[in-house]
Amino acid sequence: MSYWSNKRVLVTGGTGFIGTHVIEDLQKLNCKDIVVVRRQNYDLTKEDQVVKLMEDSKPDIVVHLAGLVGGILANKERSAEFFYQNIMMGTLMLHNAWRYGAKKVVSAAAGCGYPENAPVPLKEESFWDGFPQTHSAPYSLAKRM
């Protein structure tokens, strides 16, 4: 029996690029109880919806990958929306995972969250060494949090 075989894993953003790969890997690790969140079912920026998600899914582990994404132009044109939606999703998921007894929460940050002048190749320890790339700051700052 693998570690994952008796765990219920909630994956937000499970239909996105990273999420589909995470789900694929969880299945390879013999995880049989994976709950994939879809935006049309739960609005992760609203606490009552996140509470409903936790009550419906009762996860042991939460992998939070969901986010409002859209690139540099969208970040520039809708910076407040990008920050608000991403900070709310992260905050509500973390808080309610704790409230409802999840044992682990894994949350992905963004590569654009590294400081603009971070030395390449990027290293994990340099993630907090400065302000992130200006053009994606509304998104990446919220994901950092």
Side-chain angles (χ1 to χ4, degrees), residues 13-66:
T15 60
F17 177 74
I18 296 173
T20 55
H21 289 72
V22 167
I23 290 168
E24 189 178 290
D25 286 347
L26 285 169
Q27 290 168 334
K28 287 178 186 174
L29 293 167
N30 204 28
C31 184
K32 295 179 182 3
D33 198 356
I34 303 169
V35 178
V36 179
V37 180
R38 299 223 176 349
R39 183 177 298 152
Q40 63 264 30
N41 297 71
Y42 301 95
D43 181 346
L44 302 181
T45 67
K46 307 274 190 271
E47 186 158 25
D48 64 324
Q49 291 290 298
V50 175
V51 165
K52 182 175 179 349
L53 171 61
M54 292 298 161
E55 290 173 347
D56 291 349
S57 63
K58 297 174 179 53
D60 299 304
I61 298 171
V62 174
V63 180
H64 175 54
L65 306 172

Side-chain angles (χ1 to χ4, degrees), residues 1 22 25 44 64 66 70 76 78 88 94 101 116 118 145:
M1 181 186 304
V22 167
D25 286 347
L44 302 181
H64 175 54
K76 183 177 179 180
R78 300 172 19 225
M88 291 306 294
L94 182 60
E116 204 152 14
M145 298 299 115

Side-chain angles (χ1 to χ4, degrees), residues 12 18 22 63-66 105-111 127 139 142-144:
T12 70
I18 296 173
V22 167
V63 180
H64 175 54
L65 306 172
V105 176
V106 177
S107 184
F127 190 69
Y139 168 78
K143 289 301 242 178
R144 266 189 183 188

Side-chain angles (χ1 to χ4, degrees), residues 113-116 126-132 144:
Y114 278 90
E116 204 152 14
S126 66
F127 190 69
W128 293 96
D129 288 348
F131 196 77
R144 266 189 183 188

